[in-house]
Amino acid sequence: PRPLDLRVRAQRIQIDELVVDDPHQVLAHARQAALDDPETAEQLGYSATEPLPLPDAAALLCALYDTEALTDMGLRLTRHTTRVSASNQQTEPVSLVRSTTPDGQED
């Protein structure tokens, strides 16, 4: 017997919010990451003739590395949010948002 197909679509988006604790370290890691993965760096507007601004450097690192590696690169996790929604073609989406902060940190 085949399962009943109700065409329900579910989507999960996980968001890690980080802050830069060590700008020099973030910039250094991002320069190296841009050399290692020039295609991704180019999508963020990186050019070999212009230095990466700090927000672009942080974005590049976040696109390439997991949270644990980012911590070693001068970024700190401040909040983890998971957003889940599910719906079929006849109903409005049902959504759930769950957010946590690391122990010892305030909102």
Side-chain angles (χ1 to χ4, degrees), residues 17 78-81 99-102 104-107:
E17 295 177 30
T78 58
R79 180 184 307 275
H80 176 82
T81 303
S99 188
T100 58
T101 56
Q105 290 193 6
E106 305 259 334
D107 286 346

Side-chain angles (χ1 to χ4, degrees), residues 32-98:
Q32 185 59 50
L35 294 172
D36 294 343
D37 191 339
E39 187 175 305
T40 301
E42 186 178 306
Q43 290 176 358
L44 290 169
Y46 172 76
S47 122
T49 60
E50 299 277 332
L52 277 172
L54 186 57
D56 295 4
L60 176 60
L61 294 178
C62 288
L64 296 173
Y65 299 100
D66 64 21
T67 305
E68 188 174 315
L70 293 171
T71 301
D72 295 336
M73 294 180 180
L75 292 140
R76 176 175 40 91
L77 179 68
T78 58
R79 180 184 307 275
H80 176 82
T81 303
T82 303
R83 293 185 176 144
V84 180
S85 64
S87 66
N88 61 24
Q89 294 177 348
Q90 290 81 28
T91 62
E92 291 294 316
V94 174
S95 296
L96 169 70
V97 177
R98 183 172 182 189

